Amino acid sequence: MNIHEYQAKALFEKYGVPVPKGAPAKTPEEFVNALAPLPEGPTMVKSQIHAGGRGKGTFTDGFKGGVKFCKTKNDAKELAGRMLGNTLVTAQTGPAGRKVQTVYFTTASDIKKEYYLAILLDRGTSRPVIVASTEGGVEIEKVAHDTPEKIHKVFVDPAYGLADFQVRELCFKLGFAGAEAKNAARLIRNLFTCFWETDASMVEVNPLITTPAGEVLALDAKVSFDDNALFRHPELVELRDLNEEDPKEIEASKHALNYIALDGNIACLVNGAGLAMSTMDIIKHFGGTPANFLDVGGGASREQVVAAFKIILGDANVKGILVNIFGGIMDCNVIAQGIVDAVKEVGLKLPLVVRLEGNNVVAGKATLAKSGLKLVSGDSMADAAQKIVKLVAA
Amino acid sequence: MAILITPETKLLIQGITGEFGARHTRLSLDYGTKVVGGVTPGKGGQFFEHGGQKVPIFNSVADAARATGAKVSAVFVPPPFAADAILEAADANLELVVAITEGIPIRDMVRVKRAMEGRSTRLVGPNCPGMVCPGPGSESKGGCRIGIAPGYINKQGHVGVVSRSGTLTYEAVFQLTTKGIGQSTTVGIGGDPVNGTSHLDVIKLFNDDPDTHGIIMIGEIGGNAEVEAARWIKANCKKPVAGFIAGATAPAGRRMGHAGAIVGGAEDTAAAKIAVFKECGIEVAITPSDMADALLRAAKAKGVTLS
């Protein structure tokens, strides 16, 4: 689960990670109150959406920049009015962009130098890793690719936690000295506690900055949490913003379906994540484009199959459907009945190819045949994928 | 012969009275697996009954292991308590614990993995379909089925299958059995970012097992476990190996964070992993329907008989 920058910064403050003074606003009426506690002078206005590249983004009405520097609070108020309710397109949003429903005002900081700091899971060692660089405020992938020696990593032993010497060493590598070093060390330790205690899957600060006064501040904040651990953080679940999620994905999660929208035109309905991924792959292999990832899980019910069909058909781009079920334990006949009921209920007019295999498959195929539905049966995954690609192309 | 388990393996089920655990315990008993005990704290002394068999239930793994002599357990405990269940199995010095549970918090697994360092207990999973060692009976009955995989699609034989995905494993096994090719052992290592046994661990075991003549390795995007295994295969494994990687069309960044690209490196994508497979002499299945055929091609090239 992802959260907004202003939410992440509130969390940082709670853990003693310094951030510039700021406040969010969701309506123009809230601008005055949000700006009131900030000192007069240079102020930033930042569009709050769950996507990167905001500063370089463009709004659909032509207004440029989702993050703006303003000389006065009054200017900030005016620019916030242009952002709020407007749709921002960035390199990460796709062409449709995201509607800005919250703006965030912060005091503009005097920047001495920019750094990069992130904490995430390292899969190779199964340990948290702190990643830091003196090259902040730029794309970190580019730094890692061009100048890998400028990326520093600290692996944290979960038995002992982050050790002081590790933090000192990292601060030296980043070139911090004096008061800066002390402040940076405290920030890194506190950020790690925040990462660990909230079950975050990643915290990223880009840039982390120093000021001429010797302060070290998180100028930006990106935080995502491990969905598996949300059950023990009800206060974090409150931060979820459904406006940032695809309505079809929200609907799917209500039915315990794992759905991700893509931009192709062949929808697929599959049991199991690996099989669902490779069903998308095989559609592409035979020249089609998948419209979604959809895993109905190991024990899908009739109701779930009906819900899955409704979600798939809610995507106007869909021109055909491929159902691929390997019923290991689940009864293929139950799935077949679910398909028949679903198709009757939603009144399907698109081509449908069904590949059923596994437990009680003969009865399942008989149910489909008897139903009188206009569907095509596929023998193997390859056969089914070729058939649906051909039908959609026709 | 097989790896890690045999048809004679005595099995404990942690979480035997939960709906999920109970359902699969019944299926394992039907398959002929020697389920000798269950663990549900507070229900010690009761019995799990199915098809005329009475499986004793214990309050702890240690009690169950002592009373039955079992050295292997399957964990069906719900996610909030699953990490504790794995640690309990390790503390009882079991040889093998297979964690089926899906949805365990990553932080819990990071701690479990650290706690198990240096211990003799092997963890398979979590979030995995488990393991199957097919038996000699009809539809491979009489084998050892640990977890949630369908037993009947297996056939006793000489191919080892290792995979991160459940249904893709079934797909591979089904293709093999349909072609009359049996399996020595099937191991689902699970789809979580932090897991116990890796692709490479299983590949090494298959390589050392005289009863395994060929290997199918199934992976997916994310991490570099498949790449690590492939490089080892190139240097050490003489047996024919076929590979498949799922997720060539998966959208980037949906589960992995922005900064993940640094640590994961460029070996994270399906295309990159497939390229390494080819470079390491692994016969790549072009589609998932091609997995058994890919192994047949690899076996033919090496002059190895699979069945």
Side-chain angles (χ1 to χ4, degrees):
Chain A
M1 187 188 90
N2 297 318
I3 58 173
H4 288 294
E5 176 197 356
Y6 77 92
Q7 297 167 320
K9 282 188 173 165
L11 193 66
F12 280 9
E13 281 197 291
K14 206 178 126 196
Y15 279 92
V17 174
V19 299
K21 208 174 169 98
K26 292 180 192 295
T27 64
E29 292 72 41
E30 288 173 21
F31 290 171
V32 174
N33 276 342
L35 281 162
L38 304 190
E40 193 45 72
T43 303
M44 304 294 298
V45 196
K46 308 178 91 174
S47 303
Q48 299 294 291
I49 57 169
H50 287 185
R54 293 172 296 163
K56 288 183 185 145
T58 305
F59 289 92
T60 44
D61 67 353
F63 182 67
K64 281 196 187 329
V67 175
K68 288 282 201 187
F69 171 83
C70 306
K71 283 186 178 151
T72 66
K73 289 210 284 185
N74 207 38
D75 288 357
K77 197 176 122 194
E78 223 174 282
L79 286 187
R82 305 232 21 205
M83 292 180 189
L84 196 66
N86 206 344
T87 300
L88 180 61
V89 181
T90 81
Q92 291 182 16
T93 59
R98 292 276 175 80
K99 192 173 172 190
V100 177
Q101 316 232 14
T102 306
V103 291
Y104 185 44
F105 297 106
T106 73
T107 297
S109 303
D110 206 353
I111 299 175
K112 186 176 146 200
K113 181 167 170 50
E114 295 182 302
Y115 300 82
Y116 175 90
L117 178 64
I119 308 174
L120 64 156
L121 171 79
D122 177 60
R123 295 173 65 155
T125 57
S126 298
R127 291 178 180 204
V129 60
I130 302 177
V131 180
S133 175
T134 50
E135 308 302 297
V138 294
E139 271 186 47
I140 198 66
E141 290 86 349
K142 197 170 153 38
V143 179
H145 182 265
D146 298 346
T147 49
E149 72 282 1
K150 288 186 176 165
I151 303 272
H152 307 289
K153 292 181 188 175
V154 174
F155 295 90
V156 182
D157 185 330
Y160 302 108
L162 179 61
D164 283 346
F165 80 88
Q166 292 182 299
V167 178
R168 279 199 305 273
E169 215 167 73
L170 184 62
C171 286
F172 285 131
K173 281 182 182 159
L174 293 172
F176 290 122
E180 255 179 23
K182 261 192 186 151
N183 290 334
R186 192 182 314 119
L187 183 147
I188 292 166
R189 273 197 300 271
N190 292 345
L191 190 68
F192 183 79
T193 307
C194 174
F195 169 85
W196 188 250
E197 286 186 357
T198 62
D199 279 286
S201 46
M202 185 190 66
V203 299
E204 187 183 41
V205 180
N206 190 19
L208 174 82
I209 61 148
T210 50
T211 69
E215 295 167 295
V216 184
L217 298 174
L219 209 61
D220 197 5
K222 203 165 158 188
V223 174
S224 54
F225 302 106
D226 174 9
D227 291 340
N228 288 349
L230 287 173
F231 70 85
R232 57 188 173 204
H233 301 289
E235 77 291 355
L236 298 177
V237 176
E238 300 273 305
L239 301 177
R240 184 173 173 192
D241 183 355
L242 293 178
N243 290 319
E244 291 290 329
E245 296 175 32
D246 187 310
K248 294 194 293 295
E249 292 178 16
I250 296 169
E251 183 61 24
S253 67
K254 284 184 198 155
H255 299 278
L257 299 166
N258 199 348
Y259 172 91
I260 293 174
L262 302 170
D263 44 18
N265 59 11
I266 298 177
C268 32
L269 187 162
V270 191
N271 65 328
L275 199 63
M277 253 193 282
S278 51
T279 302
M280 289 157 44
D281 297 347
I282 203 168
I283 288 171
K284 179 100 181 190
H285 177 80
F286 288 114
T289 53
N292 63 274
F293 168 92
L294 174 55
D295 169 15
V296 298
S301 64
R302 194 202 75 92
E303 288 70 26
Q304 277 179 304
V305 174
V306 173
F309 264 89
K310 285 184 178 164
I311 290 161
I312 284 174
L313 293 171
D315 180 347
N317 294 330
V318 168
K319 298 282 179 277
I321 301 173
L322 171 58
V323 174
N324 180 19
I325 300 289
F326 195 104
I329 302 299
M330 77 160 71
D331 187 333
C332 285
N333 199 23
V334 171
I335 289 288
Q337 197 55 53
I339 295 168
V340 172
D341 292 352
V343 170
K344 284 187 176 156
E345 200 172 323
V346 299
L348 182 72
K349 292 185 182 65
L350 301 173
L352 168 66
V353 175
V354 179
R355 183 265 180 152
L356 273 185
E357 196 52 82
N359 189 13
N360 208 12
V361 66
V362 178
K365 284 186 173 171
T367 298
L368 291 177
K370 271 192 306 208
S371 69
L373 294 179
K374 261 180 64 187
L375 58 81
V376 178
S377 176
D379 290 332
S380 66
M381 273 179 82
D383 179 52
Q386 280 168 292
K387 281 176 174 161
I388 191 68
V389 169
K390 213 167 155 190
L391 284 167
V392 166
Chain B
M1 272 294 285
I3 64 163
L4 300 171
I5 54 172
T6 73
E8 301 309 314
T9 296
K10 291 197 259 183
L11 178 66
L12 301 176
I13 307 287
Q14 292 176 253
I16 193 167
T17 53
E19 192 199 327
F20 187 41
R23 185 151 67 98
H24 287 285
T25 301
R26 288 192 285 271
L27 288 165
S28 285
L29 287 168
D30 291 343
Y31 190 61
T33 302
K34 296 178 174 50
V35 181
V36 297
V39 179
T40 297
K43 294 197 178 170
Q46 299 179 20
F47 289 88
F48 180 91
E49 296 188 43
H50 175 67
Q53 300 190 64
K54 279 178 87 175
V55 179
I57 301 173
F58 300 87
N59 282 326
S60 72
V61 178
D63 286 353
R66 211 167 15 241
T68 63
K71 301 238 173 276
V72 176
S73 84
V75 173
F76 283 93
V77 174
F81 319 108
D84 184 64
I86 297 169
L87 287 177
E88 187 185 351
D91 191 65
N93 286 319
L94 297 193
E95 284 168 9
L96 175 67
V97 47
V98 183
I100 307 303
T101 310
E102 177 177 2
I104 304 177
I106 292 171
R107 190 179 76 190
D108 292 5
M109 282 313 302
V110 165
R111 297 180 66 211
V112 163
K113 196 149 182 195
R114 178 67 177 90
M116 289 179 80
E117 262 176 38
R119 299 194 72 117
S120 57
T121 305
R122 173 188 291 280
L123 171 66
V124 169
N127 188 14
C128 78
M131 303 172 60
V132 177
C133 175
S138 83
E139 293 187 330
S140 77
K141 279 194 177 149
C144 180
R145 171 187 181 270
I146 305 177
I148 58 174
Y152 67 93
I153 60 170
N154 295 269
K155 172 183 161 69
Q156 209 170 41
H158 306 287
V159 172
V161 180
V162 55
S163 169
R164 270 161 76 178
S165 146
T167 36
L168 272 180
T169 311
Y170 314 157
E171 186 77 39
V173 169
F174 182 75
Q175 286 171 24
L176 288 168
T177 299
T178 306
K179 290 176 190 297
I181 305 165
Q183 305 87 40
S184 57
T185 324
T186 297
V187 186
I189 58 172
D192 276 4
V194 177
N195 63 356
T197 299
S198 69
H199 276 104
L200 176 56
D201 296 332
V202 179
I203 294 285
K204 284 180 177 170
L205 293 167
F206 280 143
N207 193 48
D208 290 342
D209 175 28
D211 207 33
T212 298
H213 301 171
I215 303 165
I216 294 182
M217 171 162 72
I218 304 167
E220 57 198 45
I221 51 165
N224 72 340
E226 297 88 344
V227 166
E228 175 193 50
R231 299 235 153 97
W232 188 90
I233 287 168
K234 187 184 182 184
N236 302 287
C237 182
K238 302 276 178 285
K239 296 180 181 179
V241 182
F244 178 74
I245 299 287
T249 51
R254 274 310 298 260
R255 278 214 107 166
M256 276 160 295
H258 182 57
I262 302 175
V263 180
E267 292 183 336
D268 236 358
T269 65
K273 289 186 184 186
I274 289 167
V276 174
F277 275 17
K278 285 182 176 164
E279 177 196 314
C280 294
I282 294 167
E283 181 69 27
V284 175
I286 298 151
T287 72
S289 293
D290 185 43
M291 291 188 284
D293 284 330
L295 183 63
L296 282 168
R297 291 196 296 274
K300 198 176 169 198
K302 296 204 170 188
V304 171
T305 312
L306 295 174
S307 46

